[in-house]
Amino acid sequence: MDLNFTGTDVCAVNGTRSAPEAKYDLVVIGAGPSGITAAIEGAASGASVLLVDENPVSGALMGNDTPLYFGGRMTAATQNKDRMLEAIFMSMPDLEKAMEAGVELLLGTTAWGVYRNGPGVQSLPEQVVGLADAERSWLVGFDRIVLATGARDLAIAFPGWNQPGVMGAAALQMLLSRYGAFSGRRIVVLGTHDLALETALLALEHGLDVAGLVEVRDAPQGDAALLEKIKSAGIATYYGQSIAASKGGLDGIESITLTDGTHIACDTLCVAIGLVPSIELVDAMHGPRTLNAARGGYIPAGEPNVTTVGLCAGLPDTGFDHVAYRMDWVRAALRVNAPDTIICQCEEVTLADLIGIQPPNYLPRPAALQARSLDTLLDDGPANPDQIKRLTRSGMGVCQGRRCRDQVAMMLAIESDKPFGTISLATHRAPVRPLPLKILAEWDEPAAMDAAWDVWFGIPTQWVPVEDIGTEYQDAHREMLYTGMYT
């Protein structure tokens, strides 16, 4: 019998998805200055606006260096959610202006994915953003979305970088300025571009001892006025240097040794060699991205109904080549890093594992895998970053690649003797924040979807024809035959 499907399969996903819990004309992700401005402007135009920000993030997420590179230097104050909320409103008074303008505000809420009908998703009732707080996950519909997700710290591997006290500049600024919850006392800052200079001066303002700045190049890289302030403060700067070794104790890092043998005592090493635009949501929705060295690396390349603002759209273009500067730091690190230097902290992938395209030590390595390397992969064509991620597990841990994704791309480019960008970043997938399954799971799914689970995922019956599974499916099948939906 010739079966032509003129109707909808009773077990198709079409029409079975939950409707969004709410719908807004405009959803803004990120309540920094750019996001607040976009939300207020949207409300002023008469649009219904939802403003979402993941801060204050939980102490557990901070411990996993999400969303920033906190490096274990938070005080116990970050465990007090009420205190953290109060600190946010005290340090960001424009939040109240947004609420007065009619903007609905959700703090402590993660935007973990944006979905629109397209390749792989053809059954949504409308475009939606996935949200989650500490208790649950839900979907919100939107006509337009603004991403104001800011920028995150670029991490770099060196001997001992996987111990507490090694952190990023954006995280340090947040702990000092927003939360008043930084536990360190004596810091060393990596870099002399504007980010590093501003970070060192901020640390001084908060009464910290800045033991020095370390610069891989032979000359300062930042604004002359900022450099003069550093000199006036008597902060030592070490040029043409990188980290050759570090010493740690029970509380983390205690001192570092530079490549010329200089020892510097410190309890915190702040990596301030660059910020990376946070494009995870753009990437996860399969939005285009482009490499712009003057604006911090990969930035969004434009997408219908999606606007990116602030640092998410790219760093200010001052003519500085951020990519070349970071590559200098990675090259210097590769000259001193031993083969057993950890590159991916979550999965404990070493430099040797990465270059050898090997799984971490906790997984078996049969002979066929041991014969593989980056060179053998390159013999087959250009290296695929997602393939390397799956083979080595670098970037697959709980921090979701925030500490290693960018430097892995740079290391692979250097080892392949190719320009950065030839081997792209590994892709991001939703959820772009680590979420417990009990929160991510949709418990209130419609009955039509619940009824088809046995067909989609039932292990005992997944190969059984629909009409043989149960009477409800037999009845539906007969009805479709009788009504002519099958001809």
Side-chain angles (χ1 to χ4, degrees):
M1 179 175 61
D2 182 23
L3 294 180
N4 294 317
F5 292 86
T6 59
T8 301
D9 186 343
V10 291
C11 292
V13 72
N14 304 65
T16 63
R17 295 184 182 274
S18 300
E21 186 169 300
K23 169 72 180 293
Y24 296 86
D25 298 325
L26 175 65
V27 174
V28 181
I29 308 300
S34 298
I36 293 174
T37 299
I40 292 176
E41 290 177 354
S45 70
S48 58
V49 182
L50 174 66
L51 176 60
V52 178
D53 197 282
E54 62 190 332
N55 292 291
V57 296
S58 68
L61 280 179
M62 284 187 172
N64 289 323
D65 287 336
T66 302
L68 300 177
Y69 188 16
F70 291 102
R73 279 296 177 258
M74 311 82 65
T75 67
T78 58
Q79 302 293 332
N80 186 330
K81 184 176 180 180
D82 291 338
R83 179 196 178 278
M84 298 278 276
L85 277 171
E86 182 180 358
I88 285 179
F89 278 101
M90 290 288 290
S91 62
M92 303 177 68
D94 285 347
L95 286 174
E96 293 188 15
K97 295 181 181 178
M99 296 171 68
E100 292 169 356
V103 174
E104 184 175 340
L105 175 65
L106 292 178
L107 296 179
T109 302
T110 293
W112 52 263
V114 178
Y115 295 94
R116 299 169 299 169
N117 285 327
V121 182
Q122 296 285 354
S123 57
L124 292 173
E126 59 184 302
Q127 52 190 0
V128 296
V129 56
L131 303 178
D133 58 19
E135 303 296 331
R136 67 189 187 103
S137 174
W138 68 100
L139 298 178
V140 168
F142 64 88
D143 290 330
R144 294 176 294 121
I145 190 167
V146 171
L147 301 182
T149 48
R152 57 182 173 80
D153 301 296
L154 174 71
I156 184 172
F158 55 83
W161 77 297
N162 53 331
Q163 57 189 317
V166 182
M167 67 181 305
L172 177 62
Q173 291 175 13
M174 179 173 285
L175 291 178
L176 288 175
S177 300
R178 182 177 295 183
Y179 295 132
F182 176 64
S183 64
R185 296 182 179 180
R186 180 177 170 86
I187 74 169
V188 171
V189 179
L190 294 189
T192 61
H193 195 242
D194 294 352
L195 175 66
L197 302 176
E198 292 166 354
T199 301
L201 293 171
L202 179 66
L204 284 179
E205 290 175 9
H206 284 80
L208 301 180
D209 181 8
V210 181
L213 280 73
V214 179
E215 173 55 53
V216 72
R217 291 180 173 176
D218 293 329
Q221 303 297 302
D223 177 77
L226 293 174
L227 284 164
E228 185 58 38
K229 291 182 180 179
I230 294 292
K231 293 178 181 177
S232 299
I235 300 174
T237 305
Y238 303 87
Y239 294 106
Q241 302 295 318
S242 61
I243 310 299
S246 61
K247 178 183 177 182
L250 291 176
D251 296 324
I253 195 164
E254 296 178 345
S255 67
I256 60 170
T257 302
L258 305 184
T259 46
D260 68 354
T262 300
H263 297 278
I264 306 175
C266 61
D267 58 35
T268 303
L269 182 61
C270 183
V271 183
I273 62 176
L275 295 177
V276 179
S278 295
I279 62 168
E280 290 94 336
L281 281 172
V282 174
D283 210 7
M285 73 171 82
H286 308 292
R289 62 187 181 188
T290 185
L291 180 60
N292 188 324
R295 301 200 64 192
Y298 285 98
I299 61 174
E303 187 77 353
N305 300 325
V306 178
T307 302
T308 54
V309 297
L311 295 181
C312 169
L315 308 185
D317 186 352
T318 62
F320 186 74
D321 190 330
H322 294 276
V323 170
Y325 183 57
R326 298 166 189 177
M327 291 288 279
D328 284 350
W329 277 97
V330 174
R331 288 190 184 93
L334 287 173
R335 287 194 289 269
V336 299
N337 286 345
D340 63 352
T341 301
I342 296 292
I343 302 300
C344 172
Q345 294 189 27
C346 297
E347 294 292 316
E348 297 186 351
V349 179
T350 67
L351 178 60
D353 295 336
L354 178 66
I355 304 306
I357 314 299
Q358 298 296 310
N361 283 327
Y362 68 83
L363 293 176
R365 297 183 180 184
L369 294 186
Q370 294 181 36
R372 186 178 59 202
S373 68
L374 180 59
D375 289 336
T376 63
L377 249 62
L378 292 174
D379 288 342
D380 297 330
N384 183 304
D386 287 321
Q387 179 190 27
I388 292 173
K389 179 177 73 172
R390 296 183 186 106
L391 293 174
T392 66
R393 296 195 60 81
S394 58
M396 296 185 73
V398 69
C399 88
Q400 299 174 301
R402 286 174 180 80
R403 290 179 294 211
C404 70
R405 190 189 310 269
D406 299 274
Q407 63 172 318
V408 163
M410 289 187 280
M411 289 177 177
L412 292 174
I414 292 169
E415 292 294 327
S416 304
D417 195 24
K418 296 181 182 298
F420 180 73
T422 305
I423 301 175
S424 184
L425 294 178
T427 55
H428 301 81
R429 295 189 298 174
V432 300
R433 291 290 185 268
L435 296 175
L437 285 177
K438 67 179 181 180
I439 290 178
L440 189 60
E442 183 182 19
W443 298 109
D444 58 346
E445 62 191 14
M449 179 174 284
D450 182 67
W453 268 75
D454 195 27
V455 179
W456 298 332
F457 300 111
I459 299 302
T461 58
Q462 62 181 330
W463 308 120
V464 178
V466 172
E467 60 269 23
D468 296 338
I469 291 176
T471 57
E472 68 272 27
Y473 293 110
Q474 293 176 12
D475 293 343
H477 181 62
R478 291 191 189 98
E479 182 179 353
M480 293 176 77
L481 284 172
Y482 295 153
T483 57
M485 296 184 73
Y486 290 158
T487 60

